[in-house]
């Protein structure tokens, strides 16, 4: 008997806080909604960790925006649609590319400083883009974006930021989302946060894989709680693997940004030979699904754990100046990029599917909105174009914010909600080893290339494990693991149902 909630609770017995808008997540999507609405609406941001632990903070590459001379929203639209393998929503992509420039201006108005040459943005080319169109802040764009949003949030009176809060479940009353149930990680207190609108901006789920670039907090909690409430999700089988994560034992794995290939670095096999030039007209800058598949094929042919990035010809001075974080990280890991090849392989990087939304972030549950990686707006289709994700987080979160400003009345308190769950389940045992086996199995069976045999084996293992969902757990690690198992089942069933290769869902024999 699986419960609709992670834990039993009774709202009449726990502290309850209220706001107009409740935002779950402290990355680009959550903070953008918060700064958009906070002037007028009382806003609370709940985050599992702090800003430095979000995927936004980790983002290296940048933000795609068609502002370079000779570029246009139409060209950005074409590249996005082409990468998406026929599954993009044209309306959503139109919104994305047309609202990109004002969204980037919003950030620069908040003080975000992107790299410039002679007073104009320095544009970089990444995979699948027909021109250089990615604005960036060195190789640490996410740090700059986060810092500017945090500074803007601090300047607004109406935002209350509550970090270290594990959100357990969405609360629903009379068919409408009315808040969330959360666990304060420092005090162990369970609390309810009620609001007229809840915006899920809780990021992705890369930690379901044992090789991922995603931060430790990315366990898919927002997606799993939506699934428990019956909110419509789609496309969870579309997991984008980044072809070039540094081959170390780290979790998360360190990304060697595609921007380095944009500056001319090559991908080479164990004999130092380039392998992308014959495979695609864009060579190393082919869309990411194509590069990941090629990397896996070469690793198999070479019987190796990795291929290599060769950036030696770019030279020490430029590498250090343009990619300071990557340079430092590689050096610490024992690689001098100006003299040595860098070992890389694919890592789970981005969830393309998610909670289905319309163009204003509305989900299938009244009062619940979603934006950022947790959402499926339709802009990425079956394969996300590089550096369209920070952009999506900005553009659609501004739209959510504006929708809320137009439609919510400040101070319209949610009625007294009487909710409780009394499933009275037994206490479960620790899920530490269950999580490790799950992550390993997901990498093995649902990685870059999937086979029907592997997927069926994964489905059978998950069926065997489904009894774990019948117990109640009492700590964030185990709640996260239950969320991961919940989502792994959706990834596997989605992948099994999709028999043909499409975008990042690659079927092998
Ligand atoms: C990168 O810098 O290669 C990642 C950019 C992205 O995922 O869009």
């Amino acid at each position: 008997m699986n419960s609709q909630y992670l834990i039993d609770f009774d709202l009449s017995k726990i502290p309850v806080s209220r706001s107009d808008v409740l935002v779950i997540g402290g990355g680009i999507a959550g903070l953008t909604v918060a700064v958009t609405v906070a002037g007028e609406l009382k806003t609370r941001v709940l985050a599992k960790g702090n800003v430095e632990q979000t995927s936004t903070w980790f983002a290296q590459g940048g933000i795609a925006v068609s502002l370079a001379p000779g570029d246009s929203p139409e060209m950005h639209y074409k590249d996005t649609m082409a990468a998406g393998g026929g599954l993009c929503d044209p309306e959503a992509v139109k919104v994305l590319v047309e609202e990109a420039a004002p969204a980037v201006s919003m950030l620069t108005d908040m003080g975000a400083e992107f790299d410039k040459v002679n007073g104009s943005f320095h544009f970089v080319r990444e995979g699948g883009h027909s021109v250089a169109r990615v604005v960036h802040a060195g190789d640490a764009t996410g740090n700059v974006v986060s810092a500017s949003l945090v500074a803007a949030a601090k300047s607004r009176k109406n935002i209350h930021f509550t970090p270290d809060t594990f959100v357990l479940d969405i609360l629903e009353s009379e068919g409408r989302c009315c808040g969330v149930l959360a666990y304060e990680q420092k005090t162990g207190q369970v609390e309810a946060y009620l609001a007229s609108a809840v915006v899920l901006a809780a990021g992705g789920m890369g930690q379901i894989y044992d090789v991922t670039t995603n931060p430790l907090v990315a366990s898919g909690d927002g997606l799993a709680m939506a699934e428990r409430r019956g909110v419509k999700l789609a496309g969870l089988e579309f997991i984008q693997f980044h072809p070039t994560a540094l081959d170390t034992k780290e979790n998360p794995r360190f990304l060697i940004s595609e921007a380095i290939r944009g500056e001319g670095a090559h991908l080479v096999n164990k004999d130092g030979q380039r392998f992308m030039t014959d495979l695609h007209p864009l060579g190393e800058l082919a869309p990411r699904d194509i590069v990941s598949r090629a990397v896996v094929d070469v690793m198999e042919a070479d019987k190796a754990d990795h291929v290599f990035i060769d950036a030696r010809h770019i030279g020490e001075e430029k590498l250090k100046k343009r990619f300071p974080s990557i340079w430092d990280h590689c050096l610490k890991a024992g690689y001098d990029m100006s003299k040595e090849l860098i070992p890389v392989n694919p890592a789970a990087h981005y969830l393309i599917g998610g909670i289905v939304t319309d163009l204003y972030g509305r989900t299938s549950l009244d009062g619940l909105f979603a934006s950022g990686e947790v959402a499926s707006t339709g802009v990425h289709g079956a394969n996300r174009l590089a550096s369209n994700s920070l952009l999506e987080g900005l553009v659609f979160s501004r739209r959510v914010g504006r929708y809320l400003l137009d439609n919510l009345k400040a101070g319209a308190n949610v009625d007294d909600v009487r909710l409780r769950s009394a499933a009275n389940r037994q206490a479960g045992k620790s899920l530490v080893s269950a999580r490790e086996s799950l992550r390993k199995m997901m990498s093995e069976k649902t990685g870059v290339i999937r086979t029907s045999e592997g997927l069926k084996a994964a489905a059978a293992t998950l069926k065997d494990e489904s009894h774990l969902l019948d117990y109640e757990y009492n700590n964030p690690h185990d709640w996260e693991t239950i969320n991961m198992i919940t989502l792994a089942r959706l990834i596997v069933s989605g992948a099994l149902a999709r028999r043909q290769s499409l975008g990042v869902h690659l079927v092998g024999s």
Side-chain angles (χ1 to χ4, degrees):
M1 184 225 25
N2 298 331
S3 169
Q4 285 187 327
Y5 296 98
L6 283 175
I7 61 168
D8 280 352
F9 64 92
D10 183 344
L11 283 203
S12 67
K13 301 209 167 94
I14 58 176
V16 174
S17 310
R18 291 169 189 272
S19 51
D20 297 320
V21 178
L22 184 64
V23 177
I24 317 299
I28 190 168
L31 293 179
T32 299
V33 173
V35 298
T36 306
V37 299
E40 293 184 29
L41 299 168
K42 192 176 157 204
T43 304
R44 185 184 287 271
V45 180
L46 302 181
K48 189 152 80 169
N50 57 41
V51 170
E52 285 91 17
Q53 290 164 312
T54 61
S55 294
T56 301
W57 183 265
F58 277 60
Q60 294 178 0
I63 304 177
V65 55
S66 56
L67 288 171
D71 197 3
S72 64
E74 291 74 28
M75 287 164 72
H76 188 183
Y77 175 89
K78 271 193 193 150
D79 290 345
T80 302
M81 296 294 285
L87 227 61
C88 297
D89 174 344
E91 276 300 301
V93 177
K94 202 158 170 285
V95 164
L96 180 82
V97 300
E98 285 177 356
E99 297 185 16
V104 169
S105 295
M106 180 196 89
L107 280 182
T108 51
D109 290 349
M110 287 174 182
E113 287 194 21
F114 298 114
D115 285 18
K116 290 197 168 158
V117 180
N118 301 328
S120 306
F121 285 136
H122 175 245
F123 294 97
V124 181
R125 182 138 177 221
E126 290 185 6
H129 290 276
S130 53
V131 295
R133 95 164 38 102
V134 176
V135 295
H136 64 101
D139 60 355
T141 307
N143 293 193
V144 168
V145 166
S146 299
S148 57
L149 283 164
V150 167
K154 282 192 176 147
S155 74
R156 310 281 200 277
K157 273 196 269 179
N158 260 343
I159 300 184
H160 200 297
F161 193 73
T162 312
D164 299 315
T165 305
F166 187 98
V167 177
L168 293 147
D169 271 303
I170 294 163
L171 298 172
E172 178 188 339
S173 172
E174 293 173 8
R176 197 183 152 79
C177 171
C178 59
V180 301
L181 189 69
Y183 171 86
E184 312 300 324
Q185 305 199 68
K186 289 204 167 129
T187 60
Q189 172 78 55
V190 173
E191 287 191 34
Y193 292 90
L194 301 185
S196 305
V198 173
V199 184
L200 268 182
M205 59 178 187
Q207 284 292 326
I208 291 184
Y209 289 85
D210 69 348
V211 177
T212 179
T213 60
N214 286 192
L216 300 178
V217 293
S219 49
D221 309 325
L223 295 144
M225 69 183 81
E227 165 69 7
R228 279 191 289 279
R229 294 254 54 80
V231 177
K232 187 166 178 211
L233 275 70
L236 264 63
E237 67 276 23
F238 291 115
I239 314 277
Q240 186 171 61
F241 287 78
H242 196 292
T244 59
L246 184 64
D247 185 11
T248 60
K249 296 271 174 276
E250 295 167 295
N251 181 23
R253 291 275 296 276
F254 185 77
L255 187 70
I256 308 292
S257 174
E258 212 159 277
I260 206 160
R261 283 177 271 137
E263 295 287 355
H266 301 151
L267 277 169
V268 299
N269 66 12
K270 70 173 178 7
D271 302 319
Q273 284 159 350
R274 288 174 75 181
F275 53 85
M276 283 308 303
T277 36
D278 291 341
L279 285 179
H280 195 276
L282 292 173
E284 277 90 352
L285 290 178
R288 216 168 263 177
D289 51 336
I290 293 166
V291 182
S292 287
R293 169 163 237 165
V295 167
V296 169
D297 288 345
V298 171
M299 280 162 51
E300 254 174 50
D302 283 357
K303 298 196 180 1
D305 292 335
H306 45 247
V307 297
F308 297 94
I309 286 188
D310 186 355
R312 293 173 298 180
H313 51 285
I314 297 176
E316 176 168 343
E317 198 186 326
K318 186 163 180 194
L319 285 169
K320 269 184 175 163
K321 187 158 178 265
R322 172 68 184 85
F323 301 106
S325 320
I326 299 178
W327 173 271
D328 283 350
H329 201 96
C330 284
L331 216 51
K332 278 193 200 119
Y335 304 101
D336 176 339
M337 297 169 77
S338 67
K339 298 194 180 71
E340 287 161 298
L341 301 180
I342 311 301
V344 290
N345 54 23
H349 184 59
Y350 189 82
L351 169 64
I352 287 175
I355 300 170
V356 177
T357 66
D358 68 6
L359 298 179
Y360 302 95
R362 289 179 292 193
T363 70
S364 64
L365 177 61
D366 225 16
L368 179 71
F369 297 75
S371 68
E373 190 172 352
V374 81
S376 172
T377 58
V379 297
H380 306 310
N383 178 41
R384 176 178 66 93
L385 189 66
S387 288
N388 263 356
S389 48
L390 288 180
L391 179 63
E392 183 197 29
L394 268 181
V395 164
F396 286 89
S397 303
R398 291 175 85 219
R399 292 177 74 86
V400 172
R402 291 212 205 97
Y403 179 90
L404 294 176
L405 287 175
D406 288 346
N407 290 282
L408 274 198
K409 225 167 111 230
N413 269 344
V414 176
D415 294 340
D416 269 344
V417 181
R418 280 164 222 233
L419 270 180
R420 64 194 282 265
S421 163
N424 294 318
R425 292 164 296 177
Q426 282 180 7
K429 297 208 177 84
S430 160
L431 296 177
V432 171
S433 68
R435 183 192 292 206
E436 285 326 302
S437 328
L438 175 78
R439 298 178 75 228
K440 200 159 171 291
M441 181 197 76
M442 290 302 283
S443 287
E444 275 170 20
K445 310 286 191 213
T446 70
V448 177
I449 298 173
R450 291 120 183 227
T451 62
S452 133
E453 205 182 25
L455 292 172
K456 281 182 190 151
T461 307
L462 288 167
K463 196 164 172 221
D464 289 347
E465 304 264 283
S466 65
H467 67 97
L468 297 174
L469 274 60
D470 292 338
Y471 298 94
E472 182 170 315
Y473 300 86
N474 64 5
N475 64 82
H477 172 279
D478 291 348
W479 294 323
E480 283 180 347
T481 309
I482 290 300
N483 288 339
M484 290 174 170
I485 296 172
T486 304
L487 298 173
R489 301 205 296 191
L490 297 180
I491 296 170
V492 171
S493 60
L496 268 171
R498 199 174 279 287
R499 290 164 182 271
Q500 310 288 331
S501 290
L502 182 61
V504 296
H505 173 66
L506 297 171
V507 183
S509 46

